Amino acid sequence: MIKKRIIFIGTIIMMGLFVILYRLADIQLIHTESFSKKGVNLVQESVSQRTQEVVIDDGRGRFTDRNGAPLRDQVEPSLVIFPFSKDIEWPVEQLTKIINISESKLNHLLANIKKPAVLSKKEGIHLTSEEIESINNLKIPGIFAIYKQSPIEESIAEHIIGITGENPELLRSKYPDRSDLSYKTQIGITGLEKAFDEFLLPDAETKLLYHVDGDGNPLFGINVKYMADANPFYPVTIETTIDKEIQAMSEDILSKHKIEKGGIVLLDIETNNVLAMVSKPDVNRAEDATLANHMIQPIFPGSIFKTVISAAAIEYGLDDATRQFDCSLNLHGENDGGQDDGMLNFERSFAKSCNYTFTTLAEELIKINDSVIEDTAEKLGLVGPVGWNGKVFHYDNFKQFPNEKLGKIWGANEDKQIKRAVHQTAIGQKDVKVTPMAVANMMATVARGGERKKVRVVENILYKNGTNMYSFTSNSIDGEHISPFTAKSMQKLLRLVVTDPEGTGRRFQSLEVEVSGKSGTAQTGKKTEQGASLYNKWFAGFFPSNQPKYALVVVEMDTTSEESGTNASFYDIVNELANRDL
């Protein structure tokens, strides 16, 4: 019995030792460069424990606006001081003279650092290229003047650019062949960071480093190593279509008018490029809800959708100029006392946004062709995806807006046979949801005479040496489109919204530039804590009316109609752009 117990205990001990030995072998011999699900490189980690370093450039690609201005990171002149410099003698006076700070201040700084210190504008160090050269010519051990990659002072276009984050498991699943990537490598989570992630991945970091012992003292003398990637092609630059100045101006205007939820989309009509796109609320990494770009999420359009019904009516010859509609009736043709516009023709019905006119026309259109509404919406570029997509290298369907959601017109095909469902659809309610970017695209399509294009926010991917990796040259869309006659008629209707003395856009008559557009107020089905109904408030259009250059959409979501800053924001953006172009 005792012998059996000894054998049993011995077996357990041997098995335990075997597990420990296997674990040691796994750590030291088998998976030293890819340990655990995170793919931790144990060799690199052991070295990093004995290393102090300053990363000059993390190697990830960067973003610029259409003029080459940085949108996220910039190269900033900086002074790097390693801790061991406080224990050796060097010409302190010469350095302080160059950087224009007192010797006592520098000595105080040196006395307190335990890790490499990076000093730049934030710390009052403003270095010129000549001063950088002078500092490095002093050849002081542990002190370097460099150009360091750093975030720009004020964040801009955050919803377009997107965010990055660490996700080791996702990294390994997306890029199984990139064993050279550290598990700490940042990957794109939203926006362009997500769309272009494979192009943006770092090839190697550029850094200054030196090795230390357990007490932080230099391990191999005081030589600091400069490690840089010699690859002339990476990191790449994503050249966006954004205009940084216009983007910043648009963001400021929305903040000025206290639009807390909503945003703007501004397109160049000729190219269909995004010049500015703002989504509110601002990005807050601690709150997932703020990461959504509302400009590519479907929401109720309200009377903006009457643009589609009008275009369909013109295409099918239902725009009789002599016909009168009783706009004292509600959308269902009932006299509930809520309307008092009297008899209006088709054009003035559009200018004053008479519901009854467009519910009547929608009924008549569906009797002619029950798919006419969705077909016309597609011809106008309103249903998507409307963002650029196509073949790029090994991607068969690369998307510049990977988080873009599709809009829809009908909840069920049977609704086309239900009068009240048709009525609600005709005025952009019921199940109609479209993205603000798609509405901007519709306005640009009308302004171009009916030519449809995909919305583009990136024009080129550039190698590090400035040569071109890829250009997103074509963004035209094949297929049916509205006729030039329909487009011209719609341009007149959209202009009448502003010029009519009772038009819903008459506020914009005082602008120096002529504006054409359409307003919209959509019920959301939500209420405030006090019980007040919440609406989506829109204004969408293009300008100058006679030679369209810009298509602009402004929407404020979940607001009470009295508090909306939509029209004020639209007005100010148009005014700023007009002054810029004059």
Side-chain angles (χ1 to χ4, degrees), residues 417-562:
Q417 310 308 318
I418 302 171
K419 273 191 175 184
R420 287 187 172 257
V422 172
H423 296 167
Q424 289 285 337
T425 300
I427 62 169
Q429 295 282 180
K430 188 70 169 62
D431 296 300
V432 181
K433 285 190 175 182
V434 294
T435 69
M437 183 170 76
V439 173
N441 190 47
M442 174 175 70
M443 291 297 168
T445 300
V446 171
R448 279 193 301 269
E451 181 188 3
R452 289 192 303 159
K453 292 184 177 184
K454 300 172 186 175
V455 177
R456 183 170 52 193
V457 72
V458 171
E459 196 145 19
N460 297 299
I461 307 175
L462 303 175
Y463 284 119
K464 181 180 177 180
N465 61 10
T467 58
N468 206 302
M469 174 195 280
Y470 190 86
S471 290
F472 297 87
T473 51
S474 175
N475 61 339
S476 296
I477 302 176
D478 296 328
E480 293 187 38
H481 52 81
I482 59 172
S483 69
F485 174 79
T486 300
K488 195 72 176 175
S489 299
M490 286 307 306
Q491 290 172 12
K492 291 179 180 177
L493 285 178
L494 291 164
R495 178 62 183 145
L496 190 62
V497 170
V498 176
T499 58
D500 189 291
E502 297 179 294
T504 57
R506 58 189 178 276
R507 171 176 183 172
F508 306 116
Q509 291 176 10
S510 60
L511 283 164
E512 291 185 26
V513 60
E514 292 184 349
V515 171
S516 303
K518 183 74 185 77
S519 61
T521 299
Q523 297 177 359
T524 64
K526 305 175 188 176
K527 292 182 180 293
T528 65
E529 292 180 359
Q530 292 74 32
S533 296
L534 294 174
Y535 301 87
N536 294 335
K537 294 284 290 184
W538 297 75
F539 199 87
F542 56 85
F543 56 96
S545 298
N546 55 344
Q547 291 183 314
K549 183 175 181 180
Y550 302 106
L552 174 62
V553 168
V554 180
V555 59
E556 183 170 11
M557 301 164 59
D558 298 341
T559 182
T560 62
S561 101
E562 293 79 15

Side-chain angles (χ1 to χ4, degrees), residues 7 34 45 75 81 182 186 205 210-211 218 231 243 298 342 451 454 469 496 499 553 572:
I7 293 173
S34 183
E45 290 298 306
V75 177
I81 303 177
S182 164
Q186 299 277 319
E205 293 179 330
Y210 80 115
H211 301 289
N231 192 325
D243 187 298
E451 181 188 3
K454 300 172 186 175
M469 174 195 280
L496 190 62
T499 58
V553 168
D572 285 354

Side-chain angles (χ1 to χ4, degrees), residues 77 92 159 177 192 199 274 302 335 385 410 440 474 520 524 526 529 538 565:
V92 177
H159 282 97
D177 299 329
L192 296 179
F199 300 98
V274 177
N335 192 346
W410 301 99
S474 175
T524 64
K526 305 175 188 176
E529 292 180 359
W538 297 75

